Amino acid sequence: MRIAAASVRPVTLRFARPVRTAQGEFAERHSVLLGLRDAAGREGFGEAAPWPGFGTESADEATDRLRAVAARIEGANLASLQRAEEQLADAPAARAALAGALCDLQARTAAQPLAKYLASSVPASHGPPLGDVAVHALLVSQDPGSLRAEAARAVAAGFRALKLKLGAAPLAADVERARAARDGAGAAIALRGDANGAWDEAAAIAALEALAPFGFEYVEQPLPAGDTAGLATLRRRSPLRIAADESVATAEGAERVISSGAVDVVVLKPAMLGGPLRALAIAALARSSGMQVVFSHAFESAVGARHALHCAAAWGDAGAVHGLGTAGLFVQDLAEPVDGAHGLASVGVGPGIGVTP
């Protein structure tokens, strides 16, 4: 395989509703689209999607790094592309774009869905690739009454897990929102919390104890990303299971969290980890340590979100529920988003990621 042309396109997408996390409120998403075309005219696409709090380079830095790569890879062969990817080790979002575009192009060349291509490349997956991937619903309402109704609608639509952002409001407000979500969902539905590193250890213990009566499956990132030792201590004291997200946003961080047994669950974003193959390798390491693996998007466009979807499908855990649905996230997406409207996202049978932006 040789690359005939490479293109780099900065992208700005407007959220349909502002995204509110402990890092702040966001109205727009800035990312970078990379396209690779071979001599036969086939194209593969990847996306660099930095996000605050995950330790990646900025969108502007990713753009500059990818433009430098694009300028020197025309005519490059596979070995040269792999070396270019290694040279982006300090720019994980840009690396994810290059690795993703290359995997997409190779899968399209093989006339395979990306999930099948990835599964054949990573034999240590959980099981055979999936045709449909279970996804959770993200609850966004702030008012408890609206949140209760939103949770009930999600359950009626077919979701079996719901996620609730925590830590951006006082604990009393989070408790009332958790109560409303549980009331709306009923007892049988998994409820997941995500604090995005908002608490210190004392606040986290208080919050987890206050939230325990609502039966959370786990609470994600209760402490700041770099506090691996604190997560390990918290895991021993917590009445709820602990998940890491920002703490496993880099390969080094993931290896540190896994080796120390700091959490029960790892939430892996291929966009932050340098691409789907690297994310799957980390997933295998986590599973060997007895940890649950969940894959998630990073508020990317349809390109990055579909890379994450195919990564979860390649992992092959039929019982897992992932954070992958992006339908309705943006006013206008680059292509057909990942639609998990009924709790399941179809991977599709088309080659590569299945869409062309």
Side-chain angles (χ1 to χ4, degrees):
M1 174 187 292
R2 289 189 178 274
I3 300 302
S7 62
V8 176
R9 174 160 57 112
V11 172
T12 298
L13 299 178
R14 187 162 187 82
F15 288 115
R17 288 192 288 186
V19 171
R20 186 183 185 194
T21 75
Q23 303 291 335
E25 186 171 278
F26 302 88
E28 293 180 333
R29 184 67 168 107
H30 302 284
S31 64
V32 191
L33 193 67
L34 175 68
L36 299 179
R37 188 172 75 245
D38 67 11
R42 291 179 290 255
E43 289 186 285
F45 299 93
E47 183 174 5
W51 187 256
F54 283 88
T56 67
E57 73 277 26
S58 69
D60 286 343
E61 290 167 337
T63 301
D64 291 342
R65 296 294 293 273
L66 288 172
R67 281 176 173 159
V69 168
R72 66 174 184 266
I73 61 174
E74 284 193 14
N77 58 20
L78 182 58
S80 297
L81 287 167
Q82 290 169 337
R83 285 195 297 272
E85 182 187 331
E86 291 167 3
Q87 291 167 0
L88 292 172
D90 63 337
R95 184 173 187 169
L98 179 57
L102 180 58
C103 285
D104 185 31
L105 181 55
Q106 290 176 304
R108 291 177 193 248
T109 299
Q112 295 178 337
L114 179 59
K116 185 175 181 180
Y117 171 81
L118 293 173
S120 67
S121 302
V122 184
S125 58
H126 196 284
L130 306 175
D132 295 292
V133 175
V135 300
H136 66 227
L138 176 62
L139 304 178
V140 298
S141 299
Q142 298 301 312
D143 170 71
S146 300
L147 186 64
R148 185 180 299 107
E150 184 183 5
R153 287 195 300 271
V155 174
F159 289 93
R160 65 177 198 253
L162 312 178
K163 181 175 177 177
L164 183 67
K165 290 288 187 179
L166 304 168
L171 178 56
D174 277 345
V175 168
E176 289 309 306
R177 293 176 68 247
R179 189 190 315 279
R182 176 54 72 200
D183 287 348
I189 298 300
L191 190 60
R192 298 169 170 182
D194 184 4
N196 292 116
W199 301 317
D200 60 22
E201 194 169 332
I205 282 292
L208 293 167
E209 289 177 348
L211 294 167
F214 306 111
F216 280 82
E217 179 189 4
Y218 58 75
V219 172
E220 204 173 304
Q221 206 60 51
L223 300 178
D227 194 1
T228 302
L231 284 173
T233 299
L234 190 63
R235 184 189 185 192
R236 292 191 293 269
R237 299 177 59 192
S238 174
L240 296 172
R241 297 169 76 229
I242 302 299
D245 183 0
E246 288 91 335
S247 291
V248 294
T250 66
E252 296 78 10
E255 289 166 4
R256 186 164 53 248
V257 166
I258 293 167
S259 65
S260 64
V263 297
D264 304 284
V265 184
V266 292
V267 180
L268 303 180
K269 291 178 166 62
M272 305 300 170
L273 291 167
L277 288 173
R278 290 168 61 80
L280 285 166
I282 291 169
L285 181 64
R287 181 166 64 92
S288 70
S289 297
M291 295 178 180
Q292 179 183 343
V293 174
V294 174
F295 288 98
S296 178
H297 67 74
F299 299 112
E300 305 106 311
S301 78
V303 172
R306 285 186 175 274
H307 274 284
L309 172 65
H310 281 264
C311 191
W315 179 237
D317 184 356
V321 181
H322 301 280
L324 299 169
T326 59
L329 184 62
F330 299 110
V331 173
Q332 185 172 354
D333 209 329
L334 297 181
E336 187 68 25
V338 175
D339 186 359
H342 301 290
L344 285 176
S346 174
V347 177
V349 296
I353 59 173
V355 297
T356 298

